[in-house]
Amino acid sequence: MELANDALLDAADLAAWFGAQYGVPPVSIWRAPGRVNLIGEHTDYNEGLVLPFALARGVLTAAAGRKDAGIGLRSRQRAAEPVTLAPGQLRPGTVPGWAGYAAGCVWALEQAGYPVGGLSVAIDSDLPMGAGLASSAALTCSVLSAISTLAGGSVSGYAPSGMGKPAPTRTEIAALAQRAESGFVGMPCGIMDQSAAMLCQAGHALLLDCQSGVSAAVPLDVAGAGLQLLVTDTGVRHALADGQYAARRRECEQAASMLGVGSLRQVSDVAGLAGLPAPQLQRARHVVTENLRVQQVADLLRAGRLPEIGDLLTASHVSLRDDFEVSWRAADLAVDAALAAGALGARMTGGGFGGCVIALLPAGQATAVRAAINLALDTDPAAAPAYLDVEPADGARQVWPGH
């Protein structure tokens, strides 16, 4: 199965749907992208290094104020599930499902001192949910960006009324999106996905130091190197809030505590992990070696040696499979099949337990790699592969009114 490479979303179409739902046009529509993490998995909440890039696919959010104090939430993917919340209803854990992420954005803004007031929101998405492409971060970042422009300001601009203070910057929106997801929904995520949604640039990956918050654009000219990146959605879905993700984070925190450090970022060599018991040893070993791999990949990209990152991508997958134990059968089959069919490197991407695999291929090799993966995944009844050729895209932007 093919997934269209171009974004399927249309702002004018969402604006018309918004008007049909609420009886007024939207004031602002923002798009925030999903992301693929080239390398650097489960390092963000350990204050480590990550290297994601943004996708052409993402989430659109249309927003407008309303005269009453209610909060209306609509999703084109859940058209039969409209949600209207009354003032004072926004408490962590009280809004289930997709609407909890949007409601969490309003809650996070209010917690940060931005009075939101009555609000109508409509959402559209062309990202597969639960596929490890950061659909939840794309949703929260697009909602927050759209809401932040309602008072007449803009992201990174100034809101002269309504919010009453400078609108949040892109970096601040990423932090608010993380707070919405962790503090309101209850998913203890790191900052990588939200930072990618807000800060990425076309043709580049984003090297983000999750300890300092410092980020830098790293060239990722895949086509110029005679290569291509292929994402395989294995069709196996995860639910990261079901406890597995939280368990891995807890084990990392336990390892850091046993080592007497504030986070595993403070450990730079696996020799420093001596004495840790299982599973804390395995979790910490993945984090320490993954940080090293991220830096090595960034250095190779800056030096124009993109083909050489393949072995590091594959090493990352082995570490996630064996030490962090977040891979799944379809991902392992897809990685092995891609490598056997000529991929230079391949790895699972995302939090794990389901979702996608990314492979670095010589240009023109995609047909053979897809055929090999299809054949391999025929042996897994849980798998239903679909494919997406990807190139690094821009981060969040306003798409309505048109510019």
Side-chain angles (χ1 to χ4, degrees):
M1 175 182 173
E2 297 289 339
L3 292 173
N5 290 327
D6 295 327
L8 304 178
L9 301 179
D10 182 86
D13 191 34
L14 179 59
W17 191 75
F18 183 100
Q21 295 293 306
Y22 294 113
V24 297
V27 172
S28 174
I29 300 179
W30 274 73
R31 175 194 170 277
R35 66 94 190 95
V36 169
N37 192 20
L38 185 64
I39 194 167
E41 223 67 78
H42 288 275
T43 50
D44 57 345
Y45 56 79
N46 288 293
E47 299 187 339
L49 302 174
V50 294
L51 194 63
F53 62 88
L55 294 172
R57 287 171 168 260
V59 176
L60 284 181
T61 295
R66 52 198 286 166
K67 293 180 180 179
D68 63 34
I71 300 168
L73 304 174
R74 305 287 187 272
S75 167
R76 298 196 75 176
Q77 285 65 52
R78 297 289 189 272
E81 304 172 16
V83 174
T84 302
L85 302 172
Q89 233 179 306
L90 295 182
R91 295 185 302 278
T94 59
V95 184
W98 68 269
Y101 292 88
C105 293
V106 178
W107 172 84
L109 278 169
E110 291 179 340
Q111 291 287 306
Y114 295 96
V116 176
L119 186 68
S120 296
V121 170
I123 295 165
D124 198 5
S125 173
D126 60 7
L127 275 173
M129 304 294 287
L133 299 178
S135 57
S136 59
L139 190 158
T140 52
C141 287
S142 66
V143 170
L144 281 161
S145 297
I147 294 173
S148 296
T149 62
L150 292 184
S154 62
V155 175
S156 297
Y158 183 76
S161 62
M163 286 189 177
K165 63 178 182 177
T169 66
R170 287 177 173 269
T171 300
E172 289 167 345
I173 283 183
L176 288 167
Q178 181 196 26
R179 187 172 188 185
E181 196 164 345
S182 60
F184 194 86
V185 177
M187 168 60 193
C189 59
I191 194 65
M192 172 181 67
D193 295 350
Q194 299 84 359
S195 297
M198 296 306 301
L199 303 177
C200 276
Q201 300 176 26
H204 295 77
L206 181 75
L207 178 62
L208 175 65
D209 184 329
C210 297
Q211 183 178 57
S212 67
V214 173
S215 64
V218 178
L220 183 56
D221 184 5
V222 182
L227 304 172
Q228 65 186 106
L229 289 168
L230 177 69
V231 169
T232 301
D233 179 357
T234 65
V236 179
R237 288 295 172 259
H238 64 211
L240 293 181
D242 67 0
Q244 291 286 352
Y245 187 100
R248 294 303 185 278
R249 181 165 185 161
R250 185 169 57 251
E251 289 160 352
C252 290
E253 291 169 349
Q254 291 168 345
S257 178
M258 292 173 183
L259 293 170
V261 296
S263 74
L264 291 176
R265 176 62 184 282
Q266 296 172 248
V267 184
S268 59
D269 190 281
V270 292
L273 305 177
L276 283 179
Q280 287 80 11
L281 171 61
Q282 287 87 345
R283 309 304 186 239
R285 184 165 57 206
H286 165 73
V287 172
V288 171
T289 58
E290 188 80 342
N291 281 327
L292 294 172
R293 285 187 287 268
V294 173
Q295 189 62 64
Q296 289 173 312
V297 168
D299 290 344
L300 288 169
L301 293 179
R302 285 169 170 152
R305 297 161 59 188
L306 198 154
E308 296 176 43
I309 74 171
D311 288 344
L312 292 165
L313 301 185
T314 305
S316 173
H317 181 79
V318 171
S319 182
L320 288 160
R321 182 193 66 199
D322 296 346
D323 273 348
F324 222 71
E325 298 182 288
V326 293
S327 189
W328 61 105
R329 182 170 184 265
D332 297 337
L333 290 171
V335 166
D336 290 345
L339 294 172
L344 302 181
R347 63 181 290 271
M348 59 152 280
T349 185
F353 312 107
C356 292
V357 164
I358 182 172
L360 180 67
L361 319 175
Q365 196 69 19
T367 299
V369 170
R370 292 179 190 185
I373 293 174
N374 283 336
L375 185 62
L377 293 190
D378 276 345
T379 66
D380 187 343
Y387 299 96
L388 182 66
D389 294 317
V390 295
E391 291 204 11
D394 281 320
R397 69 183 189 276
Q398 188 172 11
V399 295
W400 180 278
H403 296 289

